[in-house]
Amino acid sequence: WTNNYIALSDACGATGTASVTFTATDACGNTASTTASFTIVDTTNPTIATQAINASVECDGNGNATDLEAWLASNGGAASNDTCSEVTWTNNYIALSDACGATGTATVTFTATDACGNKSTRSARFIIEDKVKPYIGTSASNLTVACDGAGNTSALTAWLTSNGGATAGDVCSSVTWSNNFTTLSDLCGATGSALVTFTATDACGNFSTTQATFTVEDKIKPTASNPAPIAIQCISAIPARDILVVTDEADNCATPSVSWLSESNNGGAGTTTSPYVLTRIYRVSDACGNFIDVSQEITAIDDTDPTITCPADIALNNDLGKCGAKVTITNPTGSDNCSIVTYNSSRSDGLALTADYPVGNTTITWSVTDAKGNTSASCDQLVTITDNQVPTAICKNITVPLSSGTASITA
């Protein structure tokens, strides 16, 4: 036997075919031939030696392109071999699903194909996840504002809206801010404070917090004007102290209260100083302990002269056997708006009010002086003593010596 085999045809991979003619030749050279084909075929799928595995990566905000490309290029980590040829890998990746932020998932089928078209497939998932909390770039800051009496709504709203000045970011998505503010604590007046937690949440529900305190304080004193001064004549007419004389008290944070504090004068108790000045101090306080003191001056200036009414004139006859008469003089009637009066008389000769007054007219000039020294106008009182007694004649004999017949008498 002989055959004409030379080589197999070059088919896919290591496959091929050959049509061989076999020739039988006898010793005399007679021949007979038969032809048949020898064929190598490949119908076996490639073997998956290493399975594709899922890949989970932390979101970088840009689709994690490098990680994805590397995973796809590595066929998800799968490995394959074939006894007949090399293996070519392909995959059906199109896009990631649209999940929270820049996360997503893709289920990818990796196909290993040999030169003859036999295929084996394996599937795995590429997952971009976000498990990282947002970062706080700037922490929230405390804010203290002066009380405006109405809750400082504008300042509080602005502070809450700005998240207390805090900033935050996230590599995978934008952040949403929220806070747990409910109300301010109830302190003095309209002051108060609140510890607020600001929360920055990313699209995947991860969150970070920062805290700060908003405080409404009152360090501003209330306002009030000094009560109007009072001018009166007499110390005795000074009114009782009354907190209602303070009429325009006001405060930025609460209704202030008024209390009496002290008083002083320029002369002491029982003084006759004029003008007499009494200074009263009232304290205006708010609910937070801030206060101012206001003063009211009450001036007693007794500048009114007292008045006087002179006693009636007196007319008497002389006392018997005297060249005058004993007279009792009563004080005039004096009055003053503020004090008792002192009587002043023009009698400078030492005669008392009850004394001997000579025959004739005696004028007494009266005035009164009050405690402050104001003196009334003067008035006159006339005391008239009349001598109505008949004189007594006393006759005496006179002896005159006679000389030359002539006598001389001097009466």
Side-chain angles (χ1 to χ4, degrees):
W1 286 93
T2 59
N3 64 72
N4 65 344
Y5 173 75
I6 299 174
L8 291 171
S9 64
D10 185 14
C12 61
T15 66
T17 185
S19 177
V20 179
T21 300
F22 296 94
T23 302
T25 303
D26 61 17
C28 294
N30 301 303
T31 62
S33 298
T34 182
T35 300
S37 293
F38 182 87
T39 302
I40 301 173
V41 297
D42 182 9
T43 59
T44 302
N45 294 330
T47 300
I48 301 298
T50 303
Q51 300 295 322
I53 58 174
N54 297 334
S56 180
V57 296
E58 180 62 31
C59 177
D60 68 3
N62 296 308
N64 295 81
T66 300
D67 295 328
L68 176 59
E69 290 171 3
W71 184 73
L72 291 173
S74 70
N75 307 305
S80 177
N81 54 58
D82 190 79
T83 58
C84 191
S85 68
E86 296 293 328
V87 174
T88 300
W89 283 96
T90 58
N91 64 72
N92 66 344
Y93 173 76
I94 300 175
L96 293 169
S97 63
D98 185 13
C100 60
T103 66
T105 302
T107 299
V108 179
T109 298
F110 295 95
T111 301
T113 304
D114 63 19
C116 296
N118 301 302
K119 298 179 180 181
S120 293
T121 61
R122 292 294 185 269
S123 295
R125 290 190 302 161
F126 184 84
I127 303 168
I128 300 176
E129 61 184 359
D130 181 12
K131 293 183 178 180
V132 177
K133 296 178 179 180
Y135 61 88
I136 300 296
T138 303
S139 297
S141 298
N142 298 334
L143 179 62
T144 299
V145 297
C147 177
D148 66 3
N152 296 82
T153 304
S154 296
L156 174 59
T157 299
W159 185 73
L160 291 174
T161 301
S162 71
N163 309 306
T167 61
D170 190 78
V171 297
C172 193
S173 68
S174 59
V175 296
T176 302
W177 283 97
S178 61
N179 65 71
N180 67 342
F181 174 77
T182 54
T183 186
L184 294 173
S185 62
D186 185 14
L187 300 179
C188 60
T191 66
S193 65
L195 176 63
V196 179
T197 299
F198 296 94
T199 301
T201 305
D202 66 20
C204 296
N206 304 301
F207 63 88
S208 297
T209 61
T210 177
Q211 287 185 321
T213 300
F214 183 86
T215 303
V216 178
E217 67 177 8
D218 182 16
K219 292 185 177 180
I220 299 176
K221 295 180 178 181
T223 59
S225 301
N226 291 328
I230 297 176
I232 56 177
Q233 280 289 309
C234 306
I235 295 175
S236 60
I238 292 175
R241 55 179 177 257
D242 184 1
I243 62 174
L244 297 180
V245 298
V246 182
T247 58
D248 63 346
E249 65 274 17
D251 188 68
N252 61 307
C253 195
T255 302
S257 61
V258 181
S259 60
W260 179 81
L261 187 63
S262 65
E263 66 180 34
S264 61
N265 61 58
N266 62 336
T271 184
T272 58
T273 300
S274 181
Y276 172 88
V277 180
L278 177 67
T279 303
R280 285 179 172 163
I281 307 298
Y282 296 91
R283 176 155 290 180
V284 181
S285 306
D286 66 18
C288 296
N290 304 299
F291 66 87
I292 60 168
D293 294 335
V294 296
S295 62
Q296 181 185 40
E297 284 192 354
I298 302 173
T299 303
I301 179 167
D302 181 4
D303 57 0
T304 301
D305 292 335
T307 60
I308 186 170
T309 301
C310 268
D313 291 342
I314 297 174
L316 296 175
N317 293 326
N318 66 311
D319 293 339
L320 183 64
K322 292 183 178 181
C323 191
K326 186 177 290 294
V327 179
T328 298
I329 304 297
T330 60
N331 282 328
T333 301
S335 64
D336 186 68
N337 61 323
C338 291
S339 64
I340 62 174
V341 295
T342 300
Y343 296 96
N344 310 303
S345 170
S346 62
R347 290 300 301 265
S348 59
D349 57 0
L351 290 179
L353 291 179
T354 299
D356 290 327
Y357 281 76
V359 170
N361 294 322
T362 301
T363 300
I364 305 174
T365 300
W366 294 96
S367 67
V368 289
T369 303
D370 64 16
K372 185 248 179 175
N374 299 306
T375 300
S376 68
S378 61
C379 65
D380 292 336
Q381 179 186 24
L382 183 63
V383 179
T384 301
I385 305 300
T386 302
D387 180 8
N388 65 351
Q389 291 185 19
V390 176
T392 301
I394 300 174
C395 294
K396 290 182 179 181
N397 295 324
I398 299 174
T399 300
V400 180
L402 180 65
S403 173
S404 301
T406 301
S408 177
I409 299 173
T410 299

